[in-house]
Amino acid sequence: MSTRLRIGVIGGGIAGLTAAYRLASRGHEVILWERQRQLGGQAAAFPLLGTALEYFYHHLFMSDHDIVALMKELGIADRLVWLPSRVGFYAAGRIYPLSSALDVLRLGVVPLHDRLRIGLVTFYLQHVRDWRRFEEITAEEWLRRWVGARAFDRVWGAQLRAKFGPRASDVAMVWFWNKIFLRTQSRRSLLERERLGYIMGSFNALIDRLAEAIREQSGTVLAGVGVDAVERSGDTWVVRESTGRAMPVDVIVATVPSPLIAKLFPQLPEIYRMKLLGTVYQAAVTLLLQTHRELSDIYWLNIGDPDLPYTGIIEHTNFVPASYYQGRHLIYVSKYVEQTHPYLALRDDEVLAAAIQHLPKVNPAFSADWIEDYWVFRERAAQPIVTVRYRAQIPDHRTPLPGVYVANTAQIYPEDRGTNYSVRLGNVVADLVCDDVRTGRLGVATSAARDTTP
């Protein structure tokens, strides 16, 4: 006999959609709530130039097996293409190509012997699989020791500061190791450029297909409907929607950021709450420009120059050709900041004005006349900051509350957050729920079950 439960999923990002799809496929009655009208979370896209484009830049690595497998299962694998990418590093007022091992040796921002040390350390990190050795030390401490103070400050340290600001020295080496290790998985050899994946038509192709698949299994997807409160009533949970409706459910899977989960479930034990509230997020502000000219020939430009106050410039149409977007060029100007940074509160026109001032440093010919349209997107919980001994701080997927589970980006470890790992999160938490239903660990009374089927 299998028990059919009513399961509520809070959050319609990739993890929530995947979990809802898996649970609905296994016969449960699923209801998913997403406060935003557009599903997909940080992977969502908006209509643009006859197709769609992500609010925040996205691509896949060749090691992203979970999301590729899901696309095959959903019948949309033909939308995925693998394209060569060009990586660059901006420092000392110029762009240095950084797409291969040979490019490292040409990185003129540091002397030759520093470049050799960077190359050797990179090669070493690409072949380390026991990442646990990096959990007890910061990236700054480890890298300064092995590449030297000058090379660290001008290259990797500069990039850490561009992303994490005053928290850069707190970032654990395990986070940095993953960044180096992951990129090698998208190259056939050290001398080749990496190949990255993109879903033609945007990641909405996957997001929309997941929502469709949930509904095909009789699940309910409520976009534009948030969850304002969750209360316990007997053996069930009562979810109070932003519409005012109250919906009883047996199980809840929460995939929203950790601070919001702590707010929704004030009855959580203090130890678990402290793990949730211990997650510190970097916020992101991304300016997207539509222009009639390209800014550079680089797809992913890392910034290592304090005179260019951004984390990265991602020229999407140097990855997916501009011809796919009616000949227009699409450029993300990205800046990660701490939650209290004044940049987060700037008006859209102020964000644009700042970029117009700084982008001529990348290309002296750049002019505001190039810009045909622009958008500014903000995300307060963009990047969990992985610190030393982070693993001990990760809250378990199973919370101490009966029938309540958590699956969000703060639990992705040692990998960095990304759509592939969000798919994996959804798979894992769905398996946990089903295992707990099967073994009786869930703690749901028989009277709370909607029905039983052979």
Side-chain angles (χ1 to χ4, degrees):
M1 302 284 288
S2 63
T3 303
R4 184 173 189 261
L5 302 178
R6 177 179 287 172
I7 301 176
V9 177
I10 303 175
I14 296 293
L17 288 166
T18 302
Y21 166 62
R22 295 296 181 205
L23 292 165
S25 298
R26 296 175 194 180
H28 295 291
E29 180 186 351
V30 173
I31 305 169
L32 180 145
W33 294 275
E34 168 54 51
R35 188 173 294 275
Q36 302 301 319
R37 292 190 177 277
Q38 171 64 57
L39 297 166
Q42 293 184 43
F46 68 104
L48 179 66
L49 298 171
T51 178
L53 185 69
E54 291 73 23
Y55 298 107
F56 302 96
Y57 43 90
H58 275 76
H59 60 241
L60 299 178
F61 293 98
M62 295 186 76
S63 57
D64 287 346
H65 304 304
D66 294 278
I67 194 169
V68 172
L70 178 60
M71 291 181 66
K72 289 179 180 177
E73 181 179 335
L74 293 171
I76 56 172
D78 59 329
R79 305 289 292 271
L80 179 61
V81 297
W82 295 96
L83 304 168
S85 76
R86 289 178 58 86
V87 178
F89 179 59
Y90 181 89
R94 60 167 289 187
I95 295 174
Y96 294 90
L98 206 56
S99 297
S100 70
L102 289 178
D103 288 335
V104 174
L105 297 179
R106 304 185 186 105
L107 188 60
V109 70
V110 290
L112 179 60
H113 61 277
D114 283 350
R115 295 174 232 164
L116 291 172
R117 292 179 74 175
I118 290 173
L120 289 171
V121 169
T122 300
F123 181 81
Y124 169 73
L125 293 174
Q126 289 168 344
H127 292 82
V128 171
R129 295 186 179 274
D130 182 13
W131 47 266
R132 290 171 178 82
R133 70 181 72 178
F134 299 130
E135 291 187 286
E136 302 286 329
I137 190 169
T138 66
E140 179 172 351
E141 182 181 356
W142 193 94
L143 291 169
R144 278 187 182 276
R145 179 189 306 167
W146 292 106
V147 301
R150 177 175 51 205
F152 172 77
D153 287 335
R154 294 185 185 178
V155 183
W156 285 329
Q159 292 177 70
L160 284 169
R161 291 189 296 273
K163 184 155 192 173
F164 295 105
R167 294 297 303 271
S169 59
D170 298 332
V171 175
M173 182 60 197
V174 68
W175 181 88
F176 189 87
W177 161 83
N178 177 256
K179 286 296 185 183
I180 299 295
F181 182 80
L182 184 63
R183 302 213 78 117
T184 65
Q185 309 306 303
S186 290
R187 291 191 180 102
R188 295 188 179 94
S189 75
L190 288 176
L191 299 180
E192 286 191 13
R193 286 161 57 186
E194 68 181 350
R195 297 180 69 84
L196 302 174
Y198 188 70
I199 304 174
M200 300 305 288
S202 84
F203 277 66
N204 276 3
L206 172 60
I207 293 162
D208 294 343
R209 180 68 189 100
L210 272 169
E212 180 183 42
I214 294 166
R215 294 183 177 111
E216 288 171 354
Q217 300 291 336
S218 300
T220 301
V221 177
L222 300 174
V225 179
V227 172
D228 288 346
V230 181
E231 303 159 359
R232 188 69 171 165
S233 177
D235 292 321
T236 63
W237 291 99
V238 178
V239 174
R240 302 208 175 272
E241 301 175 350
S242 57
T243 61
R245 184 178 68 162
M247 177 64 67
V249 296
D250 301 303
V251 175
I252 293 177
V253 177
T255 68
V256 292
S258 294
L260 181 53
I261 295 172
K263 182 179 179 181
L264 286 174
F265 296 94
Q267 64 273 68
L268 278 165
E270 189 63 18
I271 292 177
Y272 194 90
R273 279 178 53 81
M274 291 307 296
K275 286 190 173 185
L276 290 172
L277 296 175
T279 301
V280 178
Y281 292 89
Q282 281 287 88
V285 179
T286 295
L287 167 68
L288 174 62
L289 300 175
Q290 176 186 314
T291 68
H292 59 80
R293 292 181 60 179
E294 69 175 14
L295 183 68
S296 74
D297 63 351
I298 300 294
Y299 163 54
W300 192 282
L301 184 63
N302 293 300
I303 308 298
D305 189 327
D307 288 337
L308 188 62
Y310 297 106
T311 305
I313 296 175
I314 295 83
E315 198 154 351
H316 179 77
T317 41
N318 286 339
F319 178 44
V320 180
S323 58
Y324 192 72
Y325 301 96
Q326 301 177 9
R328 300 305 193 268
H329 297 269
L330 298 165
I331 307 162
Y332 294 97
V333 182
S334 173
K335 186 176 179 69
Y336 280 77
V337 294
E338 58 271 25
Q339 297 282 335
T340 58
H341 198 287
Y343 189 77
L344 197 58
L346 291 182
R347 301 190 311 269
D348 289 2
D349 62 313
E350 293 174 320
V351 173
L352 175 65
I356 291 173
Q357 175 186 351
H358 290 295
L359 289 181
K361 298 171 185 176
V362 178
N363 183 343
F366 175 81
S367 165
D369 295 339
W370 292 14
I371 301 171
E372 298 177 339
D373 208 344
Y374 78 97
W375 304 262
V376 178
F377 308 115
R378 299 170 181 83
E379 173 56 55
R380 298 195 69 89
Q383 168 77 64
I385 301 177
V386 176
T387 54
V388 170
R389 293 179 288 279
Y390 184 85
R391 183 158 47 126
Q393 307 167 29
I394 299 174
D396 195 83
H397 292 303
R398 294 182 177 101
T399 76
L401 301 178
V404 178
Y405 298 78
V406 169
N408 65 22
T409 57
Q411 297 166 308
I412 297 173
Y413 183 83
E415 301 88 358
D416 196 13
R417 81 279 184 271
T419 50
N420 179 70
Y421 304 113
S422 291
V423 169
R424 187 178 69 186
L425 274 179
N427 290 337
V428 167
V429 76
D431 285 343
L432 285 176
V433 172
C434 292
D435 286 347
D436 289 352
V437 171
R438 178 177 54 82
T439 61
R441 181 173 176 175
L442 193 63
V444 177
T446 304
S447 60
R450 300 300 161 196
D451 59 67
T452 58
T453 54

